[in-house]
Amino acid sequence: MTDLQESPRSKPVGRLLPVVLGITVVLALFAWLVLPRLRPHQFSGTVLQSEVPAADFTLTSANGPVSLSDYRGKLVVLYFGYTFCPDVCPTTLSDVNRALAQIGDEAEDVQLIMISVDPARDDPAKLAEYVEFFNPTFVGVTGTDDEVRSAATPFGIWYEAHDEEGASGYLVDHVATLNVIDREGRLKLVIGYGTGADAIAADLEYMLR
Amino acid sequence: MLSRGWKVGLISFAAVVFLAVGAFVVFQPVQVLPRVRLAPGFTLTDQSGESLTSEDLRGKFVLYSFTYTHCPPPCGDIDATIQAVQSRLPEVELYGNQVEFVTISVDPDRDTPEVLAAHAADLEAGPDWRFVTTDNPGALKDIVGGGFRTFYEQQDDGTFLLDPGFVLVDGYGVIRNEYRYQTVSPDVDRIVRHIGVIAEEVEKSTGAATLAYEAAHLFLCYSP
């Protein structure tokens, strides 16, 4: 149609076409598969530069005493909640469970520990039954009022019981963050409530590398 | 074997990456304060007898200090430092962020809300300066000793051994800097400048700039 196509130079272009197409496909595949991996991971949680290990605690689970330092070498996801918790705790615990399912085998290196902010009503057996409903690997711990407060304070966890009209008993307001402690025992990541399973999984997977 | 062209290309690419990282570290296009650790969670009682919790302060910058009203000189320097920071705060752009001042007394036996209220009145403290404590000594030790890592211990004569210090906390409840073993002027300069640095990070670390700020945290572009 045009002069250019009918000119003798069009022959090499025609032979080069498969090569050019091939290179284009390879480049596109590279961009599609490799470039997203080169992009730095953006955490959904807040990253801390803690240089010393997080404050240790020893509390009671259904299987005996549990310390944070027992889990050096694993990632610990620390959560403060209680078994009478109407919706925030179940949502968060099932989000973590779904995140661990997404991570797959490497999730063996992640340990969730829930510390009760309602030690008056949560005994170790009841806590174990509650957390294992969400995931059989989850551990629930409690202690005296003083022990729980001492464990919660350094993680920025404020909590307070209040009577709820119409509700049986009382509710406990509490900070609903997930605190992620790295393999060396340092608090590295604080994940806010409502972050969602996918984003939790992405952050944990990056920390597992 | 790579051709000469490839070698030159690879070496130039490596050089560009090296220079870019080097320039970032040397020129520090953005400066940040490290996220040191979490500030403690607490419920304390202020000079009006009202409760003040760590959650009430979420979303605001808070400068914490630790003292007690019967503290002999030079303890007064601690309050003077707060006053100096307050008077110099207009020097920095806060981008609408609120700054609160919380002074925690380590002497709840003598520092009742009435005593703290009188002390606040002496200092002509405004509503953004709260004087707080708790009559639960275990909780106080967890908060001040454990959370803020500020040592105190009462002596037989009623005075306290106390490491003076200031702790700057951001709106996420994260400790961004601690100022210790100095009292008046050098700390005031740094505290005022640092409040400006965290306000700027809150304002500017959105979208693509978030990456630059997170990189600054990684490459330790810390504001002195």
Side-chain angles (χ1 to χ4, degrees), chain A residues 100-158:
Chain A
L100 295 188
Q102 279 187 32
I103 292 170
D105 289 346
E106 282 202 76
E108 281 175 16
D109 277 357
V110 182
Q111 177 64 55
L112 179 127
I113 302 176
M114 177 168 119
I115 297 181
S116 172
V117 291
D118 187 12
R121 290 186 295 185
D122 289 344
D123 62 56
K126 192 173 176 204
L127 264 172
E129 189 190 353
Y130 179 78
V131 297
E132 286 168 17
F133 168 78
F134 296 97
N135 184 312
T137 71
F138 287 2
V139 169
V141 293
T142 185
T144 64
D145 286 346
D146 284 346
E147 286 169 343
V148 168
R149 188 205 59 236
S150 290
T153 303
F155 292 98
I157 305 295
W158 166 87

Side-chain angles (χ1 to χ4, degrees), chain A residues 2 35 41 64 101 118 130 135 150 168 170:
Chain A
T2 64
L35 287 186
H41 176 69
D118 187 12
Y130 179 78
N135 184 312
S150 290
S168 55
Y170 57 90

Side-chain angles (χ1 to χ4, degrees), chain A:
Chain A
M1 287 179 269
T2 64
D3 289 345
L4 190 67
Q5 275 188 333
E6 284 161 14
S7 74
R9 265 178 292 172
S10 68
K11 271 193 177 173
V13 170
R15 245 180 281 140
L16 272 178
L17 196 63
V19 179
V20 170
L21 268 180
I23 290 172
T24 311
V25 167
V26 167
L27 281 180
L29 270 177
F30 175 80
W32 175 258
L33 294 174
V34 178
L35 287 186
R37 286 161 196 274
L38 294 179
R39 188 176 57 202
H41 176 69
Q42 252 183 304
F43 282 98
S44 302
T46 303
V47 181
L48 303 180
Q49 277 97 23
S50 317
E51 277 164 15
V52 293
D56 201 8
F57 56 79
T58 302
L59 293 165
T60 310
S61 78
N63 296 319
V66 165
S67 298
L68 179 58
S69 51
D70 296 343
Y71 295 94
R72 288 286 157 83
K74 284 190 171 200
L75 294 189
V76 175
V77 179
L78 201 59
Y79 183 65
F80 293 78
Y82 65 114
T83 64
F84 283 84
C85 183
D87 43 39
V88 170
C89 311
T91 308
T92 306
L93 292 175
S94 54
D95 278 351
V96 174
N97 176 54
R98 283 195 292 135
L100 295 188
Q102 279 187 32
I103 292 170
D105 289 346
E106 282 202 76
E108 281 175 16
D109 277 357
V110 182
Q111 177 64 55
L112 179 127
I113 302 176
M114 177 168 119
I115 297 181
S116 172
V117 291
D118 187 12
R121 290 186 295 185
D122 289 344
D123 62 56
K126 192 173 176 204
L127 264 172
E129 189 190 353
Y130 179 78
V131 297
E132 286 168 17
F133 168 78
F134 296 97
N135 184 312
T137 71
F138 287 2
V139 169
V141 293
T142 185
T144 64
D145 286 346
D146 284 346
E147 286 169 343
V148 168
R149 188 205 59 236
S150 290
T153 303
F155 292 98
I157 305 295
W158 166 87
Y159 60 96
E160 191 171 79
H162 75 266
D163 292 313
E164 183 75 2
E165 237 176 90
S168 55
Y170 57 90
L171 295 178
V172 182
D173 291 331
H174 61 96
V175 176
T177 49
L178 292 165
N179 291 286
V180 186
I181 289 116
D182 72 10
R183 296 181 197 267
E184 283 79 43
R186 295 175 299 226
L187 174 60
K188 276 290 150 132
L189 190 64
V190 180
I191 300 176
Y193 170 65
T195 296
D198 295 348
I200 294 172
D203 280 3
L204 292 179
E205 270 177 329
Y206 186 80
M207 286 186 69
L208 280 167
R209 277 192 209 167

Side-chain angles (χ1 to χ4, degrees), chain B:
Chain B
M1 283 300 289
L2 290 173
S3 74
R4 192 183 147 79
W6 273 101
K7 276 184 197 160
V8 170
L10 275 179
I11 290 168
S12 328
F13 180 73
V16 166
V17 170
F18 179 77
L19 284 177
V21 172
F24 198 87
V25 172
V26 172
F27 297 108
Q28 306 195 350
V30 292
Q31 282 201 337
V32 293
L33 284 180
R35 303 192 192 101
V36 180
R37 62 176 191 278
L38 286 176
F42 60 76
T43 302
L44 295 166
T45 306
D46 78 358
Q47 72 267 36
S48 329
E50 306 272 318
S51 96
L52 178 72
T53 73
S54 42
E55 288 311 290
D56 297 335
L57 298 162
R58 205 163 272 267
K60 298 171 181 174
F61 303 159
V62 186
L63 185 66
Y64 289 91
S65 55
F66 314 91
T67 183
Y68 60 110
T69 56
H70 287 77
C71 187
C75 251
D77 291 351
I78 294 169
D79 292 328
T81 299
I82 302 286
Q83 289 173 319
V85 170
Q86 288 180 328
S87 69
R88 288 189 44 196
L89 217 44
E91 293 173 16
V92 292
E93 173 66 79
L94 292 173
Y95 299 99
N97 291 287
Q98 266 181 282
V99 183
E100 297 261 337
F101 300 86
V102 175
T103 297
I104 302 181
S105 166
V106 296
D107 185 13
D109 289 347
R110 287 182 287 185
D111 285 340
T112 59
E114 296 73 34
V115 171
L116 290 175
H119 184 64
D122 283 348
L123 294 168
E124 297 177 357
D128 57 352
W129 191 359
R130 311 279 285 271
F131 296 80
V132 295
T133 191
T134 171
D135 53 17
N136 180 338
L140 191 63
K141 197 76 200 181
D142 283 347
I143 296 160
V144 177
F148 289 114
R149 298 199 186 149
T150 296
F151 173 81
Y152 67 94
E153 189 173 72
Q154 192 159 25
Q155 304 296 104
D156 292 339
D157 65 356
T159 62
F160 283 78
L161 284 177
L162 174 70
D163 284 343
F166 304 90
V167 178
L168 181 60
V169 174
D170 70 14
Y172 295 98
V174 177
I175 294 176
R176 303 305 291 272
N177 208 12
E178 297 165 292
Y179 310 84
R180 303 193 187 275
Y181 311 114
Q182 287 174 331
T183 34
V184 187
S185 57
D187 276 348
V188 173
D189 293 340
R190 294 175 68 223
I191 291 168
V192 170
R193 189 169 70 243
H194 288 169
I195 290 172
V197 168
I198 56 176
E200 191 168 299
E201 181 173 353
V202 169
E203 174 69 16
K204 296 189 176 164
S205 67
T206 56
T210 309
L211 283 177
Y213 274 93
E214 291 306 313
H217 278 287
L218 283 179
F219 291 118
L220 309 174
C221 300
Y222 292 152
S223 182

